[in-house]
Amino acid sequence: MIMDTFTLEGKTAIVTGCSTGLGQGICLGMAEAGAKVVGVDYVDAPETAAMIEKAGGSFLGIKANLLTIAPIQGIVDQAVEAFGSVDVLVNNAGIIRREDSINYTEKDWDDVMNINIKTVFFFCQAAARQFLKQSKGGKIINIASMLSFQGGIRVPSYTASKSGVMGLTRLLACEWAKDNINVNAIAPGYMNTNNTEQLRKDPKRSAEILARIPADRWGLPSDVAGPAVFLASSASDYINGYTIAVDGGWLAR
Ligand code: NAD
């Protein structure tokens, strides 16, 4: 039956950046759909753990700093040890640094590129190696951005990294589709999380942004949960290398 293809029962999902924002919404969605969730963050994630427990799900929190690729293999190994397999990876952890390009520093460039694109690639690689060992395919969901499609302003390393995420998602999908590994991305629009705090605090920018969102509201973590569950489920088995905008119509404008 068609609804059965949306279930994540029996699957284990690793979600990075799980303590707050979109990652927290995705963790809860995955758990509600039946997955065991391994949440990774450089801070503790007690709120996420409590939400999943309340929903009757299983959660393993792993503390790791994803500014480097060093912790990745250990995270995959701990997930397998705890829950027996890894079936879904959501590369959600990401940062943004705002400054005029004329003054942008090498540190702001490197930090953003390290977590937003380098870690994303090597986490995809580690997950795919695990999927190949398990011989039953797998699902990778990378979190892209409107700035995978558009230029933006004052966020050069963010735009470079998120444009890279969309391209990398296509490339990995092409290499791994034959192994039943689906690599897709979600491009959130303007969402009410820490990531956009500076924008929402600026009355002029905030009003300009809201005025161009056809849905007439900023997005919420719960808005990305459904699309993430869909891309993690077998309902999306023939979707490869696509970036779904979850943007209240921003790109359609
Ligand atoms: P957020 O800042 O609320 O969440 C980011 C998460 O990543 C947090 O849990 C944070 O602790 C974690 N994180 C940050 N640095 C880390 C590190 N070094 N190691 C491990 N974890 C780390 O922002 P968000 O909006 O929830 O962002 C989630 C993803 O969505 C990011 O990739 C972001 O670029 C993307 N995104 C957000 C928006 C938006 O409007 N909020 C739009 C498009 C894309």
Side-chain angles (χ1 to χ4, degrees):
M1 298 293 278
I2 189 65
M3 290 311 290
D4 296 339
T5 67
F6 289 84
T7 184
L8 302 183
E9 286 295 340
K11 298 191 178 200
T12 300
I14 297 178
V15 181
T16 67
C18 68
S19 70
T20 181
L22 305 185
Q24 184 176 69
I26 292 168
C27 283
L28 186 60
M30 296 281 164
E32 287 180 349
K36 296 184 175 71
V37 177
V38 178
V40 185
D41 212 302
Y42 72 151
V43 296
D44 288 326
E47 204 178 85
T48 307
M51 288 164 95
I52 291 181
E53 195 178 318
K54 198 171 162 211
S58 303
F59 180 76
L60 171 70
I62 297 178
K63 213 161 156 183
N65 188 335
L66 298 175
L67 276 175
T68 79
I69 66 171
I72 292 174
Q73 190 56 47
I75 294 166
V76 172
D77 293 343
Q78 280 186 74
V80 173
E81 201 181 313
F83 296 132
S85 67
V86 175
D87 309 285
V88 178
L89 168 67
V90 184
N91 275 309
N92 165 78
I95 58 173
I96 191 163
R97 301 265 170 85
R98 298 176 197 277
E99 180 56 81
D100 293 341
S101 291
I102 209 80
N103 296 323
Y104 217 75
T105 64
E106 185 178 3
K107 177 163 173 43
D108 282 345
W109 180 269
D110 285 346
D111 285 352
V112 173
M113 294 300 276
N114 280 341
I115 184 165
N116 287 17
I117 186 75
K118 183 176 178 184
T119 291
V120 166
F121 171 70
F122 284 100
F123 223 135
C124 289
Q125 182 191 66
R129 286 177 177 167
Q130 181 62 30
F131 297 160
L132 291 176
K133 263 194 227 167
Q134 295 169 185
S135 303
K136 52 182 178 136
K139 304 277 185 175
I140 295 176
I141 303 158
N142 295 322
I143 301 302
S145 165
M146 293 296 95
L147 301 188
S148 305
F149 300 92
Q150 302 177 311
I153 49 167
R154 306 187 70 247
V155 288
S157 52
Y158 189 80
T159 300
S161 65
K162 294 295 185 177
S163 298
V165 165
M166 187 160 79
L168 182 65
T169 297
R170 291 179 176 136
L171 171 134
L172 296 177
C174 293
E175 288 196 27
W176 298 339
K178 66 177 185 329
D179 300 305
N180 295 320
I181 298 171
N182 298 71
V183 189
N184 290 294
I186 290 174
Y190 286 82
M191 317 298 277
N192 189 340
T193 68
N194 298 336
N195 176 289
T196 53
E197 197 180 351
Q198 279 186 43
L199 290 180
R200 283 178 291 106
K201 274 189 182 156
D202 176 339
K204 185 167 173 285
R205 286 283 282 135
S206 176
E208 281 168 3
I209 288 167
L210 189 59
R212 235 255 38 156
I213 303 174
D216 199 27
R217 67 171 176 87
W218 290 67
L220 297 169
S222 55
D223 288 314
V224 295
V229 167
F230 168 61
L231 289 178
S233 75
S234 64
S236 60
D237 279 352
Y238 203 58
I239 299 183
N240 301 84
Y242 198 69
T243 298
I244 299 180
V246 179
D247 65 350
W250 175 275
L251 287 180
R253 188 82 176 233

